[in-house]
Short mmCIF file of all heavy atoms in Angstrom, two decimals:
data_model
loop_
_atom_site.label_atom_id
_atom_site.label_comp_id
_atom_site.label_asym_id
_atom_site.label_seq_id
_atom_site.Cartn_x
_atom_site.Cartn_y
_atom_site.Cartn_z
N LEU P 1317 129.52 193.27 215.02
CA LEU P 1317 128.28 192.56 215.32
C LEU P 1317 127.98 192.64 216.82
O LEU P 1317 128.87 192.51 217.66
CB LEU P 1317 128.38 191.08 214.90
CG LEU P 1317 128.15 190.77 213.43
CD1 LEU P 1317 129.28 191.30 212.57
CD2 LEU P 1317 128.00 189.26 213.20
N ARG P 1318 126.71 192.87 217.15
CA ARG P 1318 126.30 192.93 218.55
C ARG P 1318 124.83 192.56 218.66
O ARG P 1318 124.10 192.57 217.66
CB ARG P 1318 126.52 194.33 219.11
CG ARG P 1318 125.60 195.39 218.51
CD ARG P 1318 125.84 196.77 219.07
NE ARG P 1318 124.84 197.73 218.56
CZ ARG P 1318 123.65 197.92 219.14
NH1 ARG P 1318 123.29 197.22 220.22
NH2 ARG P 1318 122.80 198.81 218.60
N TRP P 1319 124.40 192.28 219.86
CA TRP P 1319 122.99 192.03 220.15
C TRP P 1319 122.41 193.29 220.81
O TRP P 1319 123.05 193.90 221.64
CB TRP P 1319 122.82 190.82 221.06
CG TRP P 1319 123.07 189.53 220.37
CD1 TRP P 1319 124.22 188.82 220.36
CD2 TRP P 1319 122.15 188.82 219.56
NE1 TRP P 1319 124.10 187.70 219.60
CE2 TRP P 1319 122.81 187.67 219.09
CE3 TRP P 1319 120.81 189.02 219.17
CZ2 TRP P 1319 122.20 186.73 218.26
CZ3 TRP P 1319 120.22 188.10 218.36
CH2 TRP P 1319 120.91 186.95 217.91
N PRO P 1320 121.17 193.67 220.47
CA PRO P 1320 120.59 194.91 221.00
C PRO P 1320 120.06 194.74 222.43
O PRO P 1320 118.87 195.03 222.71
CB PRO P 1320 119.47 195.21 220.01
CG PRO P 1320 119.02 193.87 219.53
CD PRO P 1320 120.26 193.03 219.47
N THR P 1321 120.94 194.32 223.30
CA THR P 1321 120.50 194.09 224.68
C THR P 1321 120.15 195.38 225.39
O THR P 1321 119.21 195.43 226.20
CB THR P 1321 121.61 193.35 225.45
OG1 THR P 1321 122.85 194.07 225.33
CG2 THR P 1321 121.81 191.95 224.90
N GLU P 1322 120.88 196.48 225.08
CA GLU P 1322 120.58 197.75 225.73
C GLU P 1322 119.23 198.29 225.28
O GLU P 1322 118.48 198.89 226.06
CB GLU P 1322 121.68 198.76 225.43
CG GLU P 1322 123.04 198.39 226.02
CD GLU P 1322 124.10 199.44 225.72
OE1 GLU P 1322 123.75 200.46 225.07
OE2 GLU P 1322 125.25 199.25 226.11
N GLU P 1323 118.90 198.05 224.00
CA GLU P 1323 117.59 198.51 223.52
C GLU P 1323 116.45 197.64 224.07
O GLU P 1323 115.32 198.13 224.25
CB GLU P 1323 117.55 198.52 221.98
CG GLU P 1323 118.51 199.48 221.32
CD GLU P 1323 119.88 198.86 221.05
OE1 GLU P 1323 120.28 197.96 221.81
OE2 GLU P 1323 120.53 199.27 220.06
N ALA P 1324 116.72 196.40 224.29
CA ALA P 1324 115.67 195.49 224.74
C ALA P 1324 115.23 195.79 226.17
O ALA P 1324 114.03 195.71 226.50
CB ALA P 1324 116.14 194.03 224.63
N LEU P 1325 116.20 196.14 227.05
CA LEU P 1325 115.87 196.46 228.45
C LEU P 1325 115.01 195.37 229.06
O LEU P 1325 113.98 195.63 229.70
CB LEU P 1325 115.16 197.82 228.55
CG LEU P 1325 115.98 199.04 228.09
CD1 LEU P 1325 115.12 200.30 228.12
CD2 LEU P 1325 117.21 199.21 228.94
N THR P 1326 115.42 194.14 228.86
CA THR P 1326 114.64 192.99 229.36
C THR P 1326 114.61 193.00 230.90
O THR P 1326 115.67 193.12 231.55
CB THR P 1326 115.24 191.68 228.87
OG1 THR P 1326 115.31 191.70 227.45
CG2 THR P 1326 114.38 190.48 229.29
N GLY P 1327 113.41 192.92 231.46
CA GLY P 1327 113.25 192.87 232.91
C GLY P 1327 113.25 194.20 233.61
O GLY P 1327 113.21 194.25 234.85
N VAL P 1328 113.29 195.31 232.84
CA VAL P 1328 113.36 196.64 233.45
C VAL P 1328 111.94 197.23 233.52
O VAL P 1328 111.17 197.18 232.56
CB VAL P 1328 114.28 197.56 232.64
CG1 VAL P 1328 114.28 198.99 233.22
CG2 VAL P 1328 115.69 197.00 232.61
N GLY P 1329 111.61 197.85 234.69
CA GLY P 1329 110.34 198.56 234.84
C GLY P 1329 109.14 197.66 234.89
O GLY P 1329 108.06 198.03 234.40
N LEU P 1330 109.26 196.48 235.49
CA LEU P 1330 108.13 195.54 235.57
C LEU P 1330 107.30 195.80 236.81
O LEU P 1330 107.80 196.20 237.87
CB LEU P 1330 108.65 194.12 235.59
CG LEU P 1330 109.43 193.64 234.34
CD1 LEU P 1330 109.90 192.22 234.53
CD2 LEU P 1330 108.57 193.78 233.11
N ALA P 1331 106.01 195.61 236.69
CA ALA P 1331 105.10 195.71 237.84
C ALA P 1331 105.13 194.38 238.59
O ALA P 1331 105.78 193.40 238.19
CB ALA P 1331 103.69 196.00 237.34
N GLU P 1332 104.41 194.37 239.68
CA GLU P 1332 104.37 193.16 240.54
C GLU P 1332 103.82 192.00 239.72
O GLU P 1332 102.86 192.13 238.96
CB GLU P 1332 103.50 193.43 241.76
CG GLU P 1332 103.50 192.27 242.76
CD GLU P 1332 102.62 192.55 243.96
OE1 GLU P 1332 102.09 193.68 244.05
OE2 GLU P 1332 102.45 191.66 244.78
N ARG P 1333 104.46 190.86 239.84
CA ARG P 1333 104.11 189.58 239.20
C ARG P 1333 104.51 189.52 237.73
O ARG P 1333 104.50 188.46 237.13
CB ARG P 1333 102.63 189.25 239.31
CG ARG P 1333 102.14 188.91 240.72
CD ARG P 1333 100.70 188.47 240.68
NE ARG P 1333 100.52 187.28 239.83
CZ ARG P 1333 99.33 186.77 239.50
NH1 ARG P 1333 98.22 187.37 239.90
NH2 ARG P 1333 99.25 185.69 238.75
N GLU P 1334 104.85 190.67 237.12
CA GLU P 1334 105.21 190.63 235.71
C GLU P 1334 106.61 190.06 235.52
O GLU P 1334 107.50 190.25 236.37
CB GLU P 1334 105.16 192.03 235.11
CG GLU P 1334 103.75 192.57 234.96
CD GLU P 1334 103.72 193.92 234.29
OE1 GLU P 1334 104.78 194.58 234.19
OE2 GLU P 1334 102.63 194.33 233.83
N GLN P 1335 106.80 189.33 234.43
CA GLN P 1335 108.11 188.73 234.09
C GLN P 1335 108.38 188.98 232.60
O GLN P 1335 107.47 189.21 231.82
CB GLN P 1335 108.10 187.23 234.36
CG GLN P 1335 107.73 186.83 235.77
CD GLN P 1335 107.64 185.31 235.89
OE1 GLN P 1335 108.53 184.59 235.45
NE2 GLN P 1335 106.56 184.84 236.51
N GLU P 1336 109.68 188.91 232.22
CA GLU P 1336 110.05 189.02 230.82
C GLU P 1336 111.10 187.98 230.47
O GLU P 1336 111.92 187.61 231.33
CB GLU P 1336 110.56 190.41 230.49
CG GLU P 1336 109.47 191.46 230.41
CD GLU P 1336 109.99 192.79 229.92
OE1 GLU P 1336 111.20 193.05 229.99
OE2 GLU P 1336 109.14 193.60 229.45
N ARG P 1337 111.10 187.55 229.23
CA ARG P 1337 112.12 186.62 228.72
C ARG P 1337 112.39 186.96 227.26
O ARG P 1337 111.58 187.61 226.61
CB ARG P 1337 111.66 185.17 228.85
CG ARG P 1337 110.40 184.84 228.07
CD ARG P 1337 109.87 183.46 228.42
NE ARG P 1337 108.68 183.13 227.63
CZ ARG P 1337 107.89 182.06 227.90
NH1 ARG P 1337 108.19 181.26 228.92
NH2 ARG P 1337 106.84 181.82 227.14
N GLU P 1338 113.56 186.51 226.78
CA GLU P 1338 113.99 186.87 225.43
C GLU P 1338 113.92 185.68 224.47
O GLU P 1338 114.08 184.52 224.88
CB GLU P 1338 115.44 187.39 225.44
CG GLU P 1338 115.62 188.70 226.17
CD GLU P 1338 117.07 189.15 226.12
OE1 GLU P 1338 117.90 188.38 225.58
OE2 GLU P 1338 117.38 190.25 226.60
N ARG P 1339 113.68 186.04 223.20
CA ARG P 1339 113.77 185.06 222.11
C ARG P 1339 114.63 185.73 221.02
O ARG P 1339 114.30 186.81 220.54
CB ARG P 1339 112.39 184.71 221.56
CG ARG P 1339 112.39 183.59 220.52
CD ARG P 1339 110.99 183.18 220.12
NE ARG P 1339 110.32 184.18 219.31
CZ ARG P 1339 109.29 184.90 219.73
NH1 ARG P 1339 108.83 184.75 220.97
NH2 ARG P 1339 108.72 185.78 218.92
N ARG P 1340 115.74 185.10 220.67
CA ARG P 1340 116.70 185.74 219.75
C ARG P 1340 116.68 185.05 218.35
O ARG P 1340 116.49 183.86 218.26
CB ARG P 1340 118.11 185.69 220.33
CG ARG P 1340 118.24 186.46 221.65
CD ARG P 1340 119.67 186.65 222.04
NE ARG P 1340 119.80 187.47 223.25
CZ ARG P 1340 120.93 188.03 223.66
NH1 ARG P 1340 122.06 187.85 222.95
NH2 ARG P 1340 120.96 188.77 224.76
N ALA P 1341 116.90 185.86 217.33
CA ALA P 1341 116.99 185.35 215.95
C ALA P 1341 118.01 186.19 215.20
O ALA P 1341 118.13 187.41 215.44
CB ALA P 1341 115.65 185.41 215.24
N ALA P 1342 118.78 185.56 214.32
CA ALA P 1342 119.83 186.27 213.57
C ALA P 1342 119.79 185.85 212.12
O ALA P 1342 119.51 184.69 211.80
CB ALA P 1342 121.19 185.97 214.18
N THR P 1343 120.07 186.80 211.20
CA THR P 1343 120.20 186.51 209.78
C THR P 1343 121.48 187.17 209.26
O THR P 1343 121.85 188.26 209.71
CB THR P 1343 118.99 187.04 208.98
OG1 THR P 1343 118.88 188.45 209.17
CG2 THR P 1343 117.71 186.36 209.40
N TYR P 1344 122.14 186.46 208.33
CA TYR P 1344 123.38 186.96 207.73
C TYR P 1344 123.26 186.76 206.23
O TYR P 1344 123.05 185.63 205.76
CB TYR P 1344 124.58 186.20 208.28
CG TYR P 1344 124.66 186.20 209.79
CD1 TYR P 1344 124.04 185.20 210.52
CD2 TYR P 1344 125.33 187.20 210.46
CE1 TYR P 1344 124.09 185.20 211.90
CE2 TYR P 1344 125.39 187.22 211.85
CZ TYR P 1344 124.76 186.20 212.57
OH TYR P 1344 124.82 186.23 213.94
N ALA P 1345 123.34 187.84 205.46
CA ALA P 1345 123.16 187.78 204.01
C ALA P 1345 124.37 188.40 203.32
O ALA P 1345 124.95 189.39 203.79
CB ALA P 1345 121.89 188.50 203.59
N VAL P 1346 124.74 187.79 202.17
CA VAL P 1346 125.89 188.23 201.39
C VAL P 1346 125.43 188.39 199.94
O VAL P 1346 124.81 187.49 199.37
CB VAL P 1346 127.05 187.21 201.48
CG1 VAL P 1346 128.19 187.66 200.57
CG2 VAL P 1346 127.50 187.04 202.90
N THR P 1347 125.76 189.55 199.33
CA THR P 1347 125.46 189.78 197.89
C THR P 1347 126.73 189.60 197.11
O THR P 1347 127.73 190.27 197.36
CB THR P 1347 124.88 191.19 197.68
OG1 THR P 1347 123.67 191.32 198.42
CG2 THR P 1347 124.60 191.42 196.20
N LEU P 1348 126.70 188.67 196.13
CA LEU P 1348 127.86 188.34 195.32
C LEU P 1348 127.66 188.87 193.91
O LEU P 1348 126.59 188.71 193.32
CB LEU P 1348 128.08 186.83 195.28
CG LEU P 1348 128.31 186.14 196.64
CD1 LEU P 1348 128.31 184.63 196.47
CD2 LEU P 1348 129.63 186.60 197.25
N ALA P 1349 128.72 189.50 193.36
CA ALA P 1349 128.70 189.96 191.97
C ALA P 1349 129.47 188.94 191.12
O ALA P 1349 130.54 188.49 191.51
CB ALA P 1349 129.36 191.33 191.88
N TYR P 1350 128.88 188.57 189.98
CA TYR P 1350 129.53 187.56 189.12
C TYR P 1350 129.09 187.81 187.67
O TYR P 1350 128.08 188.45 187.42
CB TYR P 1350 129.16 186.15 189.55
CG TYR P 1350 127.71 185.80 189.33
CD1 TYR P 1350 127.29 185.08 188.21
CD2 TYR P 1350 126.73 186.22 190.23
CE1 TYR P 1350 125.97 184.78 187.98
CE2 TYR P 1350 125.39 185.92 190.02
CZ TYR P 1350 125.02 185.19 188.91
OH TYR P 1350 123.69 184.89 188.68
N ASP P 1351 129.87 187.29 186.74
CA ASP P 1351 129.52 187.33 185.32
C ASP P 1351 129.10 188.73 184.88
O ASP P 1351 128.05 188.94 184.33
CB ASP P 1351 128.41 186.33 185.03
CG ASP P 1351 128.25 186.06 183.53
OD1 ASP P 1351 129.23 186.29 182.80
OD2 ASP P 1351 127.14 185.65 183.12
N GLY P 1352 129.93 189.71 185.18
CA GLY P 1352 129.62 191.09 184.79
C GLY P 1352 128.72 191.76 185.80
O GLY P 1352 129.11 192.00 186.94
N ALA P 1353 127.47 192.07 185.39
CA ALA P 1353 126.55 192.82 186.24
C ALA P 1353 125.61 191.94 187.04
O ALA P 1353 124.73 192.43 187.72
CB ALA P 1353 125.76 193.81 185.39
N ALA P 1354 125.74 190.62 186.96
CA ALA P 1354 124.83 189.73 187.66
C ALA P 1354 125.07 189.80 189.16
O ALA P 1354 126.20 189.96 189.63
CB ALA P 1354 125.01 188.29 187.15
N ARG P 1355 123.99 189.68 189.93
CA ARG P 1355 124.06 189.71 191.39
C ARG P 1355 123.21 188.57 191.96
O ARG P 1355 122.18 188.21 191.40
CB ARG P 1355 123.54 191.05 191.95
CG ARG P 1355 124.33 192.27 191.53
CD ARG P 1355 125.67 192.33 192.27
NE ARG P 1355 126.36 193.59 192.05
CZ ARG P 1355 127.13 193.81 191.01
NH1 ARG P 1355 127.28 192.88 190.06
NH2 ARG P 1355 127.74 195.00 190.87
N ILE P 1356 123.64 188.06 193.09
CA ILE P 1356 122.86 187.06 193.80
C ILE P 1356 123.10 187.26 195.29
O ILE P 1356 124.23 187.51 195.71
CB ILE P 1356 123.21 185.62 193.37
CG1 ILE P 1356 122.27 184.62 194.03
CG2 ILE P 1356 124.67 185.29 193.69
CD1 ILE P 1356 122.44 183.19 193.52
N THR P 1357 122.01 187.21 196.08
CA THR P 1357 122.11 187.36 197.53
C THR P 1357 121.78 186.03 198.18
O THR P 1357 120.75 185.41 197.87
CB THR P 1357 121.14 188.44 198.03
OG1 THR P 1357 121.43 189.68 197.37
CG2 THR P 1357 121.27 188.64 199.54
N VAL P 1358 122.67 185.57 199.07
CA VAL P 1358 122.49 184.29 199.73
C VAL P 1358 122.64 184.44 201.23
O VAL P 1358 123.25 185.41 201.72
CB VAL P 1358 123.54 183.25 199.22
CG1 VAL P 1358 123.36 183.00 197.73
CG2 VAL P 1358 124.96 183.72 199.52
N ALA P 1359 122.03 183.51 201.96
CA ALA P 1359 122.15 183.48 203.41
C ALA P 1359 123.31 182.59 203.79
O ALA P 1359 123.51 181.51 203.19
CB ALA P 1359 120.85 182.97 204.04
N VAL P 1360 124.10 183.00 204.78
CA VAL P 1360 125.25 182.21 205.24
C VAL P 1360 125.13 182.01 206.74
O VAL P 1360 124.33 182.64 207.42
CB VAL P 1360 126.58 182.91 204.89
CG1 VAL P 1360 126.73 183.07 203.38
CG2 VAL P 1360 126.67 184.28 205.57
N THR P 1361 125.95 181.11 207.25
CA THR P 1361 125.91 180.78 208.68
C THR P 1361 126.71 181.82 209.45
O THR P 1361 127.58 182.52 208.92
CB THR P 1361 126.51 179.39 208.91
OG1 THR P 1361 127.89 179.41 208.51
CG2 THR P 1361 125.75 178.34 208.10
N PRO P 1362 126.45 181.93 210.76
CA PRO P 1362 127.21 182.87 211.59
C PRO P 1362 128.72 182.57 211.55
O PRO P 1362 129.54 183.51 211.59
CB PRO P 1362 126.64 182.68 212.99
CG PRO P 1362 125.29 182.09 212.78
CD PRO P 1362 125.38 181.27 211.56
N GLU P 1363 129.08 181.30 211.50
CA GLU P 1363 130.50 180.94 211.49
C GLU P 1363 131.18 181.38 210.20
O GLU P 1363 132.35 181.75 210.20
CB GLU P 1363 130.64 179.42 211.68
CG GLU P 1363 130.13 178.89 213.02
CD GLU P 1363 128.62 178.76 213.07
OE1 GLU P 1363 127.99 178.81 211.99
OE2 GLU P 1363 128.08 178.63 214.18
N ALA P 1364 130.45 181.29 209.05
CA ALA P 1364 131.05 181.64 207.77
C ALA P 1364 131.03 183.12 207.48
O ALA P 1364 131.83 183.63 206.67
CB ALA P 1364 130.34 180.88 206.64
N PHE P 1365 130.14 183.89 208.12
CA PHE P 1365 129.93 185.30 207.82
C PHE P 1365 131.22 186.14 207.89
O PHE P 1365 131.45 186.97 207.00
CB PHE P 1365 128.85 185.88 208.73
CG PHE P 1365 128.46 187.29 208.38
CD1 PHE P 1365 127.82 187.58 207.19
CD2 PHE P 1365 128.72 188.34 209.25
CE1 PHE P 1365 127.44 188.88 206.88
CE2 PHE P 1365 128.35 189.64 208.95
CZ PHE P 1365 127.71 189.92 207.75
N PRO P 1366 132.10 185.98 208.90
CA PRO P 1366 133.30 186.82 208.95
C PRO P 1366 134.21 186.67 207.73
O PRO P 1366 135.02 187.57 207.46
CB PRO P 1366 133.99 186.36 210.23
CG PRO P 1366 132.90 185.80 211.08
CD PRO P 1366 131.96 185.15 210.12
N GLY P 1367 134.11 185.59 206.98
CA GLY P 1367 134.97 185.40 205.82
C GLY P 1367 134.47 186.06 204.56
O GLY P 1367 135.06 185.87 203.49
#
Side-chain angles (χ1 to χ4, degrees):
L1317 278 69
R1318 67 180 186 86
W1319 287 97
T1321 53
E1322 295 181 1
E1323 295 90 330
L1325 297 175
T1326 305
V1328 177
L1330 298 179
E1332 185 180 355
R1333 290 186 60 189
E1334 290 183 344
Q1335 305 175 47
E1336 285 187 340
R1337 61 190 182 191
E1338 294 181 355
R1339 187 173 71 249
R1340 298 192 175 195
T1343 58
Y1344 306 90
V1346 176
T1347 299
L1348 300 172
Y1350 68 98
D1351 194 23
R1355 297 286 189 274
I1356 186 172
T1357 303
V1358 298
V1360 298
T1361 63
E1363 297 78 15
F1365 187 66

